[in-house]
Amino acid sequence: MTHQTPAPVSTVSVTVNGTRRTFVCEDRTLLVYAIRDNLDLKGTRVGCMNGDCGACTIKLDGQAVKSCLLLAASADGAEIVTLEGIAPPGQLSPLQKAMWEEDAFQCGFCVAGALFAAQELLDTHDDPDEEDIRKALIGNLCRCTGYEYMVEAVKSVARARRQGGTCDSSVD
Amino acid sequence: MTNATNQPGAGDIEPQDGLVSELRRDGDLIMTGAAGYVDDLPLGHVAHAAILRSPHPHARIVAIDVEKVKAARNVLAVLTGDDLVGMVNPLPHLFDPKIFGLPTAEFYALATEKVRWVGEPVAAVAAETLADAERALDLIDVVYEEIPFVTDAVEAMARGAPKVFDHWEDNVLAMFPFEEGDVDAAIAASTHVIKDVISIQRFQAAPMECRGYVGDWTRGGKITIHASTQQPHQVRTKLSVTLGVTEANIRVVQPRVGGSFGLKFHGYQEESLVCLLSRLAGRPVKWLETRAESLLIGAREFRHEFRVGFEPNGRINGVHNRSIGNIGCLSTWGGWSMVYPNGMSFPGPYAIKNYKMESYGVVTNKAPWSGARGYGKESATLVIERIVDLVAKKIGMDAIDVRRVNFIASDQFPYWTRAKHLDSGDYQGALDQVVELSGYHEWRRVQRDRPADGPLLGVGVAFDLTPEGADASSLIRGHDTTTVRVSPNGAVSVLTGVTSSGTGNETSIAALVAREFGVHPSTVSVFQGDTDISPYGFGSFSGRSLVAGGGAGVLAAREIKDKLRTAASVLLEVEPGDVVFSDGQVRSAANPSRAMDFALLCEQIYSTSYVNPGLLEPQLEATCTYRPGNVTMVPDEHGRISPYPCFPYSAHVAVVEIDRETGYPRVIDYSCVHDSGTVISPKLVDSQLNGAIVMGIGGALYESQPFDDKGHPEALTFKQYLLPRATDLPTIRLGTQVTPSPFTLFGAKGAGESGVGGALASVAIAVNDALEPVGVTVHQLPLTPSRILDALLSSDVAR
């Protein structure tokens, strides 16, 4: 029974975490699988395959998106940042550091969503309050923490930025 | 007190003394994507599995034709139930009902003859890619003969209901009775009597990572399985029985786990299916549960029918509760057994002398239960606290004062009930603290003064007594085992039988062991979850990992410390009793200048024992088992047992606002004070508590797996199964009370579960409190806008 024809494939080029990468994948391949399997970046995770949980969140051309809702081929030419590329190797961003210090995660499976969503908030709001922060996290599910210390972590970054006067929040 | 154990008491570590503020281990790996969950591991040329599941709630399997699949492109292996019979043994149960003298049934990993729930595995395929495997499922032809089914537990108990298991008398699997005194007489003699019901829906653990297993059955006959599980050693034991392979040839590795909350107990069909498919395919085979598959798993669906008799002063004379648990179909997953703690938790924190709790487990044609945080104790808390609140409303007394009247007093511990020997506590103190923390009386004032046409406002109080550390007659045991090994350069390795599903117990266990040796926790490595490395242990459940695994680690460290002390006394020329361990050094307390590095001492033992007189054998390794005290399996002269050693608790105040137009409820304020005994890592424990509370809020208001009239589950994604999101929640205020357990090594009682029941109950009570002025109640959880709106529309007052 070999009547099935092979699925059509595309060549996709992206800049991921600062490096140009080219891979071939089936047209139907979802971006989350291309990132995990073709690019071997496992920090982008599959939690629901339905855009509900945010574990597959990446930054695509400057915007936090859920990679389970996009076809890999649609990302051709895009600039992608994954969990692995938020900070240079061996470093943590202020938000990553705050998430750790505030114990804002437990199992850690979902952290990409919160990190990208909250960073987007911090990048666009000078002084977000609790309501802003909770709204920013609305697209991400976390089952461990009740979001409580996640909110605290984002607050602490905003507070440090106010007090320290530093604008560069992306990398420490 | 009949069971004052031989274990050292709480004075061992002062409550404040044990506190550490270590950051959670591996936070840097987690933050940068290097955490390594089961789907992330490079495990060779992996093939992918998919499972064909029953589309019917109840049907006979007439025929299965897999010929088309066998010929399909990229398909490597296919299995049906008929293939398994004769090839392997049936799956052992996690809790076989027959150990309790109850009816049971035998199950293979794939259905044989009959399917009994929508989603039951019928066939399994391994293929090159997941897409290939899923496509192959469409090529399997199954002929079913549908037969009558039942999904409602009360209907399932009725005479003439379809029987889920033909060889059973009826659909009642279990009725666990818990009784003291004479409840009928006590209620009959009471001034007031209330009869009512409250029902908790089917809702589950829903960890962000679904289950997943990668099996690799090599030609040499060895099996390695990487499993997102709470219990790697039990997976190995049960695989050995199923597959007929000695345990020594099976290695189970638990990689990092993305949450579990009871869902990842052992006993699942896919554990052995990936191994069998791997043998057939000649390659490792990976199966990852989809979210829709994961949402099949049930838990917690209870209907409570209760009667309570009480006095105008709030004293509760007697409570009778009949709980009917809709446990879905029996399976080898052990979740049905939460019917037991649902009953044994009665009557919670109250000194009620006459009570009768009958906890039924009834099988239906829904998917089976697996574990879920709370394990039935949250269900008991919901009904007990609802009862207290109804009593208060009836006599016009504040529910806080009704609790005051009925609480077990702090000088009554340890305190016996039918199946609990309560360790220690100050229940009134915790309640007082949360009343203060929440501004309870201020909220009551706000409630009184609010405009008559504004949103409805309700305040709910609940007290959650949470038995922990379960020791059951099965491979769920309360004790655990830890090995501590110190190397010549002073590095400490801790290998423990308890596991972490993301809770962080490895951080706290390292801190406890480091504290014994006076070294920094960063020099202590913790290894868990690999059956080739860790001692046999029971994994994680029932809030026991730190108590049992940490306790065993402390005992093992002390054994090594004795050797180190002897050697140090020789090398430093001081008395053994004078040797102290601190700051990475070993020194004389009397003469601190006599000191050496901890690492140098270790090196000296390895390199000069047998040469240097007085140094014992050159081995710094010990394995100890720690069993918390306060577990009594043999009934005492009154027929009482205590299968749980520890009883942490939490007191909750929830404030809920309800929109009159839409019935939309919203938790606007939340406070909780908990007592987990001695706390080792306060931040980690508080974070657990936050998660437990939010899971309870989810259960009270949002989460549900309803079934349609065809017996199909309706929630297949998180768009139907609603988890609480950040915007659904207020800031949660936490407070801590510490009454150490006198029965555990360092006084810890366990954390992680307490809070689910308290949140369920406080929110449900708050919603009903908000509805009181309009004269209606809702008693079927979740308390959705539509249910609340229905109640509002039925109200004469509202009209």
Side-chain angles (χ1 to χ4, degrees):
Chain A
M1 182 103 47
T2 53
H3 61 271
Q4 295 136 343
T5 50
V9 297
S10 297
T11 300
V12 179
S13 289
V14 291
T15 303
V16 61
N17 301 332
T19 305
R20 183 91 172 151
R21 300 278 299 272
T22 300
F23 59 90
V24 176
C25 66
E26 293 182 351
D27 285 358
R28 65 184 175 184
T29 303
L30 292 167
L31 183 55
V32 62
Y33 286 132
I35 290 169
R36 291 182 57 81
D37 301 335
N38 298 82
L39 302 175
D40 198 31
L41 293 165
K42 306 295 194 189
T44 305
R45 301 205 175 82
V46 174
C48 70
M49 290 307 290
N50 207 38
D52 298 323
C53 78
C56 66
T57 304
I58 58 166
K59 196 152 122 180
L60 183 102
D61 289 335
Q63 206 178 5
V65 298
K66 290 170 178 171
S67 62
C68 76
L69 297 180
L70 294 167
L71 290 167
S74 74
D76 189 33
E79 190 161 332
I80 289 172
V81 181
T82 67
L83 181 57
E84 292 86 345
I86 288 177
Q91 294 182 44
L92 296 176
S93 73
L95 180 59
Q96 286 172 318
K97 219 182 259 181
M99 291 267 287
W100 194 7
E101 282 164 4
E102 295 291 334
D103 205 38
F105 57 88
Q106 287 173 26
C107 80
F109 193 80
C110 71
V111 293
L115 281 168
F116 282 109
Q119 190 62 56
E120 202 165 82
L121 173 77
L122 289 164
D123 290 345
T124 51
H125 278 64
D126 290 337
D127 191 14
D129 63 12
E130 171 146 353
E131 198 185 334
D132 296 327
I133 296 168
R134 287 185 181 271
K135 276 187 179 155
L137 295 172
I138 195 171
N140 303 290
L141 291 172
C142 169
R143 192 57 156 168
C144 294
T145 64
Y147 312 99
E148 193 65 30
Y149 295 155
M150 233 178 239
V151 173
E152 287 306 311
V154 183
K155 275 188 197 165
S156 84
V157 174
R159 194 165 48 236
R161 198 169 60 175
R162 270 199 315 274
Q163 287 162 358
T166 167
C167 298
D168 179 13
S169 61
S170 60
V171 172
D172 191 319
Chain B
M1 186 163 74
T2 58
N3 191 34
T5 73
N6 57 357
Q7 302 294 352
D12 223 29
I13 291 181
E14 291 305 316
Q16 304 81 352
D17 194 25
L19 304 187
V20 292
S21 53
E22 280 294 298
L23 290 183
R24 186 178 291 272
R25 298 210 146 196
D26 294 345
D28 47 350
L29 300 181
I30 285 171
M31 279 294 121
T32 55
Y37 305 89
V38 70
D39 189 27
D40 302 346
L41 306 175
L43 296 173
H45 190 208
V46 171
H48 298 264
I51 313 278
L52 183 72
R53 294 174 184 276
S54 168
H56 303 299
H58 206 186
R60 270 180 251 288
I61 300 172
V62 179
I64 304 183
D65 181 355
V66 296
E67 288 313 307
K68 275 185 276 180
V69 184
K70 286 183 173 164
R73 187 167 55 92
N74 289 345
V75 170
L76 303 168
V78 57
L79 281 170
T80 67
D82 283 350
D83 296 331
L84 298 183
V85 179
M87 179 197 285
V88 293
N89 293 310
L91 301 177
H93 286 257
L94 193 160
F95 282 113
D96 194 332
K98 79 177 176 213
I99 59 181
F100 304 99
L102 304 171
T104 188
E106 195 176 81
F107 302 97
Y108 284 87
L110 295 166
T112 54
E113 296 174 20
K114 249 173 104 169
V115 288
R116 296 184 177 87
W117 44 282
V118 170
E120 183 168 2
V122 171
V125 170
E128 286 291 339
T129 68
L130 182 58
D132 291 328
E134 288 179 344
R135 188 175 51 227
L137 297 185
D138 287 342
L139 301 175
I140 301 176
D141 290 322
V142 187
V143 180
Y144 293 100
E145 179 197 336
E146 290 183 64
I147 48 184
F149 66 92
V150 61
T151 53
D152 181 87
V154 175
E155 286 173 20
M157 292 173 87
R159 194 183 299 273
K163 280 206 285 183
V164 178
F165 293 97
D166 297 333
H167 65 287
W168 291 17
E169 270 180 38
D170 54 28
N171 289 320
V172 177
L173 169 67
M175 196 286 276
F176 295 114
F178 299 88
E179 185 175 9
E180 284 187 275
D182 184 341
V183 73
D184 289 331
I187 291 175
S190 295
T191 308
H192 299 292
V193 177
I194 292 175
K195 250 180 92 170
D196 211 334
V197 296
I198 191 160
S199 298
I200 178 171
Q201 77 282 21
R202 183 182 173 101
F203 78 103
Q204 59 136 281
M208 285 300 101
E209 180 202 39
C210 296
R211 292 182 300 124
Y213 312 103
V214 186
D216 187 6
W217 193 324
T218 62
R219 287 187 203 288
K222 295 210 173 200
I223 299 171
T224 302
I225 174 169
H226 287 75
S228 186
T229 180
Q230 294 168 224
Q231 296 191 290
H233 278 97
Q234 288 65 46
V235 170
R236 184 179 68 164
T237 302
K238 300 295 173 76
L239 278 178
S240 167
V241 173
T242 307
L243 304 176
V245 174
T246 169
E247 282 174 285
N249 279 349
I250 303 174
R251 179 184 181 195
V252 181
V253 183
Q254 176 214 48
R256 194 177 302 279
V257 172
S260 180
F261 317 109
L263 188 108
K264 295 173 183 172
F265 270 114
H266 70 274
Y268 287 104
Q269 293 86 337
E270 297 87 356
E271 294 159 359
S272 52
L273 288 175
V274 291
C275 299
L276 290 166
L277 289 170
S278 168
R279 185 170 63 172
L280 294 172
R283 289 176 35 192
V285 170
K286 179 191 284 191
W287 175 77
L288 297 173
E289 186 179 48
T290 65
R291 185 54 68 183
E293 288 173 318
S294 195
L295 287 172
L296 288 169
I297 297 166
R300 298 185 171 128
E301 183 178 356
F302 284 101
R303 173 184 167 85
H304 301 284
E305 301 165 355
F306 58 85
R307 279 186 304 143
V308 54
F310 53 100
E311 297 306 315
N313 66 0
R315 167 65 61 189
I316 296 174
N317 299 325
V319 178
H320 180 202
N321 188 50
R322 189 167 177 264
S323 280
I324 298 168
N326 184 340
I327 62 164
C329 187
L330 179 69
S331 79
T332 52
W333 321 347
W336 70 268
S337 64
M338 67 180 75
V339 171
Y340 182 89
N342 170 63
M344 65 77 68
S345 296
F346 251 69
Y350 305 110
I352 298 172
K353 292 296 174 199
N354 305 286
Y355 66 90
K356 184 175 184 181
M357 167 62 159
E358 298 159 296
S359 188
Y360 286 82
V362 179
V363 292
T364 65
N365 294 107
K366 291 183 177 181
W369 286 6
S370 189
R373 187 189 218 166
Y375 216 83
K377 300 167 260 185
E378 75 291 356
S379 172
T381 293
L382 173 70
V383 61
I384 294 165
E385 294 304 292
R386 174 67 174 149
I387 287 170
V388 169
D389 199 62
L390 286 171
V391 167
K393 294 244 184 290
K394 176 77 180 177
I395 56 181
M397 195 168 168
D398 195 307
I400 286 173
D401 297 320
V402 175
R403 289 184 175 84
R404 194 185 306 278
V405 169
N406 290 286
F407 269 144
I408 297 161
S410 55
D411 60 1
Q412 287 180 283
F413 292 99
Y415 183 93
W416 266 115
T417 71
R418 186 79 202 159
K420 296 188 295 296
H421 188 243
L422 299 173
D423 44 8
S424 62
D426 178 7
Y427 300 162
Q428 186 60 51
L431 187 66
D432 289 345
Q433 201 180 326
V434 81
V435 163
E436 175 76 25
L437 180 71
S438 62
Y440 174 80
H441 294 294
E442 175 63 14
W443 278 115
R444 286 292 184 206
R445 194 191 57 72
V446 170
Q447 191 181 29
R448 274 193 307 274
D449 296 349
R450 72 193 185 280
D453 57 348
L456 296 163
L457 185 81
V459 183
V461 178
F463 196 96
D464 187 352
L465 177 72
T466 319
E468 292 291 40
D471 196 333
S473 310
S474 64
L475 290 182
I476 301 291
R477 296 300 310 275
H479 64 268
D480 224 295
T481 302
T482 301
T483 298
V484 175
R485 183 184 294 157
V486 184
S487 72
N489 64 8
V492 180
S493 302
V494 179
L495 303 81
T496 179
V498 301
T499 57
S500 170
S501 310
T503 57
N505 62 50
E506 64 275 27
T507 305
S508 307
I509 291 171
L512 281 171
V513 170
R515 185 180 169 281
E516 293 298 322
F517 293 130
V519 298
H520 194 271
S522 63
T523 65
V524 178
S525 305
V526 179
F527 299 89
Q528 299 174 290
D530 183 336
T531 56
D532 271 10
I533 294 177
S534 310
Y536 192 95
F538 297 94
S540 72
F541 57 87
S542 204
R544 63 182 270 288
S545 298
L546 185 66
V547 175
V554 167
L555 294 181
R558 286 178 185 172
E559 232 179 87
I560 296 169
K561 196 172 169 182
D562 284 344
K563 275 191 204 168
L564 292 168
R565 189 190 304 281
T566 305
S569 73
V570 172
L571 295 170
L572 298 174
E573 296 174 358
V574 298
E575 287 301 311
D578 183 39
V579 176
V580 293
F581 297 73
S582 68
D583 303 321
Q585 285 217 314
V586 186
R587 63 168 68 88
S588 156
N591 183 1
S593 66
R594 285 178 183 267
M596 65 194 300
D597 282 347
F598 180 79
L600 180 61
L601 173 61
C602 299
E603 194 271 335
Q604 287 291 302
I605 289 172
Y606 277 101
S607 58
T608 70
S609 283
Y610 303 145
V611 180
N612 203 340
L615 268 58
L616 305 175
E617 78 269 21
Q619 184 268 78
L620 294 174
E621 179 166 331
T623 299
C624 287
T625 295
Y626 176 64
R627 183 187 189 209
N630 203 34
V631 171
T632 319
M633 304 301 244
V634 180
D636 72 358
E637 68 274 23
H638 305 288
R640 301 176 302 200
I641 57 167
S642 190
Y644 288 78
C646 298
F647 301 89
Y649 52 88
S650 50
H652 302 247
V653 174
V655 182
V656 170
E657 205 174 72
I658 296 174
D659 184 299
R660 287 174 191 267
E661 296 295 315
T662 63
Y664 188 85
R666 192 176 162 70
V667 182
I668 59 167
D669 200 78
Y670 203 98
S671 305
C672 174
V673 170
H674 71 107
D675 190 333
S676 309
T678 304
V679 173
I680 305 302
S681 304
K683 191 92 183 179
L684 271 58
V685 168
D686 283 356
S687 186
Q688 285 273 312
L689 182 59
N690 284 327
I693 288 168
V694 170
M695 199 173 278
I697 292 174
L701 298 181
Y702 311 114
E703 299 177 36
S704 182
Q705 175 58 283
F707 280 66
D708 67 17
D709 57 9
K710 303 265 192 325
H712 287 241
E714 293 187 300
L716 304 179
T717 75
F718 286 140
K719 285 186 175 61
Q720 298 90 30
Y721 190 97
L722 302 177
L723 296 178
R725 292 180 183 270
T727 44
D728 297 322
L729 304 161
T731 301
I732 296 169
R733 275 187 297 274
L734 297 183
T736 308
Q737 186 195 61
V738 179
T739 57
S741 165
F743 302 112
T744 64
L745 188 59
F746 40 88
K749 294 178 175 176
E753 288 200 290
S754 201
V756 178
L760 266 178
S762 63
V763 172
I765 289 168
V767 166
N768 278 295
D769 186 59
L771 295 176
E772 197 192 13
V774 286
V776 295
T777 61
V778 280
H779 39 63
Q780 170 65 60
L781 272 54
L783 305 169
T784 57
S786 61
R787 286 197 175 114
I788 293 171
L789 197 58
D790 282 347
L792 285 171
L793 293 174
S794 72
S795 157
D796 298 333
V797 182
R799 266 191 228 117

